[in-house]
Structures are given as structure tokens and as C-alpha cells.
Amino acid sequence: MLLSELKIGEKAIIIKVKGYGAFRKRIMEMGFIKGTEVEAILNAPMKDPVKYRIMNFEVSLRRKDAENIEVISLQEAEEELRNESKKTSNNQRDIEITDIETEKNIINLAEKKSKVINVALVGNPNCGKTSIFNIATNAHEHVGNYSGVTVDEKQGSFEYNGYTFLLTDLPGTYSLSAYSPEELYVRQHITQKKPDIILNVLDSSNLERNLYLTTQLIDMDLRLVIALNMFDELKKRGDNLDYNQLGKLLGCPCLPTSARNGKGVKELFAKIIDVYEGKDTLTHHIHVNHGEEIEKRIKILRNSIKEHGYIDEMSSRFFAIKLLENDAQMERKLRGLDTDGDILEQRNNISKGFQNEFKTNLEDAITDAKYGFIRGALKEVYHKSKEKNINKITEQIDAAVTNRYLGFPLFIFFMFVTFFCTFFLGQYPMDWIDSLFAWLGETVSNNMPDGPFKDMIVDGIINGVGSVIVFLPNILILYLFISFMEDSGYMARAAFIMDKMMHKMGLHGKSFIPMIMGFGCNVPAIMATRTIEDRKSRLITMLIIPLMSCSARIPIYLILVSAFFPSHAALILLLLYFLGMLLAVVMAKIFSRFVIKGESTPFVMELPPYRMPTAKAIIRHTWEKGKQYLRKMATIILFASILVWALGYYPNHNNFNTPKEQMENSYLGKIGKTIEPVMEPCGFDWKQSVSLLSGAFAKEIVASTMGVLYASNQESIEIAQAEEVDSDLRISKIIHNNMTPLSAFSMLIFVLLYMPCLATVAVIKGESGKWKWAIFTVCYTICLAWVCSTLVYQIGSLIL
């Protein structure tokens, strides 16, 4: 609990003091240190401030300041100790504890709780934060070699040297301005959650750019530990960095790490313990010197802020600097407090005076001063190798993959290889799994008595879930290739070569990365749009990502492709994926022109050096996606398969002569017959229509519904077994006799384009902030799918 929550007359033991800089130092000098007993003795008439007794003297403290002190009340501690005693005791009677034992145990309990360290990982995109987080917590978060993988905070914990670390992996950010959503998110987490330690992770191969964020963290007067990640790459280049001296200049310890192999991570957290306990001799607060003229103006504004008493959650120096940088979010915060406008007026006068005197705006001058400080520090501690072999491999690869003539053909070739391997390499394990489910269905059918329960097991569960789970190998292979392209750094190049096309369509080059991520799953892809600074581009990207073929569509594609186009499978898959991308670009142009207007921001994006991904990282990420797929099989797909079977089985199952007649008169048949006239121009019968309708929940359900509808028709099965069909999949053989190739291709187009699953719809609402964009996405994708499928089928019918 917090000290502000302590009731009058209650006593507590202090666990830790949060907060920053001078405030934290002043509070601790007053005696509020961990392990000390404190008693709330009196409220002021308006219940603020509160008088406390500590170390035999009385002190008043505002409730807002008391919120920065974490305590455990004696009553709470005694209850917790009693519960622990009962757990370890064989009888449940109250345990008798002497006063001395109680006091000793409470102090020990407070000491134990004080050994919980909240650490926030902060750093630039692609600096290795998530890799360190994964090593420390043994988590399986994905690490991609491009910016924007972590778009939300990840939390984990672990124990080391008697301390419990609660880690938060924050989104990658280049600064603490309010320019992009992730920058604002990181800043709000730091100011509101007040982590005990900030672990600032730097890419050692790009220190000048990475240290800009560090200077802003120093402005916030936080307790910092710096991880010089990828230090092995720096040494490999022959560069030399005196990290101990750098630590002295920055006022915080700097430790070399290599997250790829875990080197230096243990030492890093040992140093965090030292800083947390105040044992690190290197840690001291510094001010980033912006030069005499800027510092003079920072001091004037800072003193005014402190005099008015406006700031209680962040460093007044940081607040003053951000106001001088015209930070919009800080201005909004101040307007709610500075009702007479004195502070903002003073800021405006300071900015105008600086502009008139030095012919440059103060915001640019502060940025230049920070980089001047960084260059000065690096000049003392960093010595580059004279050998000019830096990033030579990256330059050689980029000469081909970003070439104006080779870039696009290579991208298409890589995608073709991906789909070729997805289909053909996945065919063998897919056939094994299909054979297993065929054997399982036959075994159950031969050994169970006839009745609804048997039909549900065979037709609902085995045929339904089995129709989807057979494609697990294909899903894994697709993710394996996507993971390799992400981790190697190629995805950033894909965005680079696509920027011109994206810009012509009213989008940002960064939009291409979430679009490619959409090949895996639309949900994280839409969340990844947070890395796009411009709201217009971000919103348009959200709206077109559902046109990207997510992995949930693969089972439907492979069922239909195996049935009708097995000899051209990779080409058909490539065509579908590129058709989705083409239509996404066309729709983006339409949205940019007529729906969402505004100017696009410049294309600024880091192109990281190529790195060979570790097999462990790729396999782990691929298997994580595989587990998600299996989890979906055991929940939503299983439930949907049983539901579809029940709707197709009832009512009056035994009142009809043939399975076909029974199915047409079932609830499912009636639903299908109702929507069939609308779908008929697309070339769909009622079974296809119902299958597509079920995909609103999750696209895999289309495949399971087809498995239930078609595989439960014994006549179709017998025909399929008698005829030669160039496919080993049972469901593909059956469907081959229930559709035409043109109808199947039309269905592929519809599946590619029509509404996203409900999870994606919910994420669009969450990221855009409005239901209207989620509903708009559902409506326009359904209309687009119907129009395109109808054109394909009707024109195809005329030609064929």
C-alpha cells in the first residue's frame, strides 16, 4: 500500500521511496527510508497535508508526495504473517507469536518486499530491448530487426540474487517528445508508474543517435543504468569505447552486453541492484549542458514552474525543456493548471526573444545542444577503427535488394519461394496429419453405436477440426520465412523499396511493414501501425491491412487450390497475396483522396544492418505461432465445428431419405438458402455461402465448416473415392465434385477480400478510437469482395 492510504492512528514500515531526483533525496533526508516505522497521527482540516511521526519527530507531508512512498501497515503485515504460519502449520488454530518475534518478522517481511525492483526497459527501436527482456524473463516475445515490433508494453518477472525484478519492455522510441504514440506512451509510463530503475538499452554500433534519448532521460532526473547492447559488434569492427568513462560523464553506470548470446546480462542486473540500493559509486545526477544562453532560459522557466507548484510527477527541469520545445502534450497539461496563462505567456516571450536574438528557434537549438553534448562525450571515450569495413556486408546486400531494377523482382522472388515452400514442403506432413484424422474418423465410426453423439464426434469434431488442423505445417513454414525476413533486416528494405509507391497512394513507407506483418495475423499488424507518426497514414493503413492474406486464410486457400489448381499452387497463392496488396494500394489511394484527407509526413526510417537470425529465435517464434494456432483449434474452432454440425443435423434429422435432402432442410440449409440469392452472382451455392458467413468469427472456421458440410455427405465421399483427383486431401477430393474451378477461384477472391475476423474489428476500433472505422472496414471489405468475385465469375462464365 501507499503511505497516503495509511489511516490515522495506524503504523507501517516503509518499503521503498519512489519518485525522482531532488524530491526523492529530500524525502529520504527527512527519514523516510526503507525499514523505518512511520505512524499517521493527524489530518489537516481539509485532510491534506498529513502529519506523520517518524524517528521520534513529527513531519507533515502532502498526500500527493505520500503517494510516492510504499509501505506495509503493521496490521497488514501481521495478517500476512499469520496466513503464512497457518499454511505451514498442521493445525488451523491461531499461532501464538511473541511481540519480539512479531516485530522481527514484520521487519523481515518489509525487507523482503523492498527487494522487489520495478525496471522499465527504454531504448530506440531495434536496439535489443526485447532480446534482453526475453533472456532475463525467459519470455518468448518476438524480436524483429526493424522498428515497431514492440508496440505495447510487455511485462515479466524473475528472481536474481535474492531480488525480484518486475520488468516492463516499453515500445521502442527515438525520443520522449509527443511526436508519435509510442513516444507519448513511454513518457506517460515513466511519469505515472515511476519505475525504480530505467534500463536504457543502447545499440553500441550507433551511439550518437541512441544517446539522444539518454539525454532526455537524464533531464527527467531518473535512476539510470545503461546497457551497451551489441557490444560484440562494436569490438568486431575494431572500435574502442571506454564505457567506464562514459558512465562518469553521463552520471550512471554503463555495461557492455550482447543479447544474442546473453553475455553481460547477469552483470547488468547485478548493477541494477547496486543502483537501487544506493551502493553504486558512479551514480550521480548531472545536467546536460545546453550552453549558457539556453540554460539561462531553462532556469527562468523552471523557477517559475516551481514557484507556482504545478509539477508533482516529473522533473521541473524536464517540464521546462519540453515547454521550450513547444511540446503540445505538456502545453495541454499546463493549461489545466496555469489558468491565468502566466507560465505559457512567459514561455512565449522567452521563445520569441531567443528567436530574435539568435535567428533560430529554441526547439532546434535545444536539439543541436544535446547532440553537441553527445559528440563531446563520445570524443573523449569513443575511438573508431581506421579500417573502412563497417557494414560492408550490409552495403553489398543492399546493392542488390534495394537496386532500382532488381529490388522489385527480388521481392517477388522471395515471396514466390515462401509460398512454394509453404505449399510443397508442407504437403508431406499435411498428408500424414490428414491420414491420421481419416484413420481416427474411420475407427470411431466403426466402434461407436449409431446416433447423434457418434455423428457429432465424426462429422462435427473430427471432420471439422481435422479440416483445419492439417494445415499446421503450412502455417509453421510461412511463419518461418516471415520470421527470417523480419529478423534479418530485410523487411525494412521492403518498406524502403515500396515507399515511392506507398507515397503515390497517400501512404507512408512505414505502412508497408504492418501490411507485410498482416500476412501472419491482422491483429498485431494493426497494432504495429502505432509506429507511423502521421495519423492519416496510420488510419488508412489500419483500414487496408484486412486485405492482407493472414495465415487464418491459408487452410481455405490450400483446400481449394489442392482440389482445382494443384499444379499451379505456388503461382495461385502468389497471385492472391499480390492481388490483396494491389487492391490495398488502390483502396488506400481512394481513402486518401476522398475519405481521410491531410498532408503526409516525410519518410524517415532506420535501415538496420543485416544480421543473421539465430535458429533458436526463429524456431521459438514459429512455434509460438503454432501454439496459438493449436489453441484456437481447441477453443473457437472446436466450438464452431460443433455448432455448425448441430445446425446442419437438426431439426428432424431422420425424416429425410438422403443426407443431401436432410442437410438442405436443416437450420444451416435454411440459413444458406436465405442468403444464396445474394451470393449466387459470385457463383456460390448455399454451402459456400454458409461457410463464408461462419468466417466472420475466425477465417479458419470457413475451412472447418466446409469440412462439416461436405465431408458429412456420404454420397460425395463415395464419388470422390471413385474418381481420380490430383490431391491427397480428403476434403479437397470431396469439394472437387461439388464446385467448378471458376466457382472455386471466385471463392478464393471472396475469402481474400471480405470482412476481417471479429478480433481484428475490435482492434481497429481500439486503435482508431472510434467504432465508425471498424464498421466502415467491415462494410467496404464485404462490398469489395462481392464486386470482385461477381466480376470474376460473370466474366469467366462468358469466356469459358
Side-chain angles (χ1 to χ4, degrees), residues 390-439:
I390 300 172
N391 293 333
K392 196 171 183 179
I393 295 175
T394 293
E395 290 174 4
Q396 290 173 343
I397 297 174
D398 274 347
V401 300
T402 62
N403 184 276
R404 61 180 299 185
Y405 301 110
L406 296 176
F408 285 107
L410 282 174
F411 175 68
I412 293 171
F413 172 74
F414 292 148
M415 297 305 293
F416 178 81
V417 169
T418 298
F419 299 132
F420 180 85
C421 294
T422 296
F423 187 84
F424 287 99
L425 292 183
Q427 186 69 45
Y428 299 102
M430 184 172 68
D431 292 342
W432 300 334
I433 298 172
D434 190 51
S435 300
L436 174 63
F437 274 85
W439 171 83

Side-chain angles (χ1 to χ4, degrees), residues 435-538:
S435 300
L436 174 63
F437 274 85
W439 171 83
L440 185 61
E442 187 177 347
T443 302
V444 173
S445 183
N446 293 335
N447 291 279
M448 281 187 71
D450 292 338
F453 185 68
K454 171 187 170 181
D455 292 341
M456 183 188 73
I457 296 295
V458 176
D459 297 331
I461 297 177
I462 295 176
N463 285 334
V465 177
S467 298
V468 183
I469 204 170
V470 294
F471 299 104
L472 176 62
N474 308 88
I475 302 291
L476 294 177
I477 292 170
L478 177 66
Y479 271 114
L480 194 71
F481 276 88
I482 291 177
S483 296
F484 182 85
M485 287 190 285
E486 288 177 348
D487 293 1
S488 65
Y490 178 71
M491 282 300 192
R493 272 68 185 182
F496 175 77
I497 63 176
M498 293 296 291
D499 176 62
K500 189 170 184 179
M501 183 184 294
M502 294 287 105
H503 184 67
K504 285 183 177 180
M505 299 304 140
L507 284 176
H508 196 284
K510 280 188 178 180
S511 298
F512 192 66
I513 287 179
M515 287 169 67
I516 293 294
M517 289 177 69
F519 288 163
C521 180
N522 287 171
V523 172
I526 288 169
M527 294 176 68
T529 60
R530 295 180 194 174
T531 61
I532 304 169
E533 294 86 355
D534 176 35
R535 175 168 171 77
K536 174 192 172 184
S537 294
R538 188 163 67 246

Side-chain angles (χ1 to χ4, degrees), residues 1-144:
M1 66 184 296
L2 303 177
L3 181 59
S4 58
E5 299 169 348
L6 195 67
K7 295 178 181 177
I8 300 302
E10 287 186 342
K11 296 180 180 180
I13 302 294
I14 295 174
I15 294 174
K16 67 172 69 171
V17 178
K18 299 188 287 185
Y20 52 87
F23 162 80
R24 185 172 181 275
K25 184 178 180 182
R26 186 178 73 251
I27 290 292
M28 294 182 70
E29 286 174 348
M30 293 169 66
F32 290 90
I33 57 176
K34 72 173 185 177
T36 305
E37 184 179 278
V38 59
E39 179 184 4
I41 57 175
L42 182 66
N43 276 325
M46 298 182 69
K47 294 196 172 181
D48 197 16
V50 182
K51 185 191 288 186
Y52 296 98
R53 180 178 289 115
I54 186 167
M55 293 184 177
N56 295 320
F57 72 96
E58 296 176 353
V59 59
S60 66
L61 206 61
R62 289 178 182 170
R63 286 189 180 274
K64 196 70 178 176
D65 292 337
E67 288 177 1
N68 288 306
I69 302 173
E70 195 174 324
V71 301
I72 180 170
S73 71
L74 298 190
Q75 184 179 1
E76 184 182 8
E78 288 174 2
E79 184 65 28
E80 192 168 329
L81 289 170
R82 195 169 297 281
N83 289 335
E84 287 183 7
S85 298
K86 283 183 178 181
K87 288 178 185 177
T88 57
S89 177
N90 291 327
N91 56 46
Q92 295 301 310
R93 65 181 178 81
D94 288 346
I95 309 300
E96 295 297 330
I97 308 174
T98 66
D99 290 341
I100 295 175
E101 286 175 329
T102 300
E103 184 179 353
K104 183 179 178 181
N105 288 338
I106 288 174
I107 292 172
N108 290 338
L109 181 61
E111 178 67 19
K112 181 181 177 182
K113 288 185 177 291
S114 73
K115 290 189 174 183
V116 177
I117 308 177
N118 292 288
V119 180
L121 282 79
V122 178
N124 286 190
N126 199 45
C127 68
K129 284 185 302 85
T130 305
S131 296
I132 291 176
F133 175 86
N134 286 342
I135 291 170
T137 62
N138 199 27
H140 296 157
E141 292 300 333
H142 180 45
V143 181

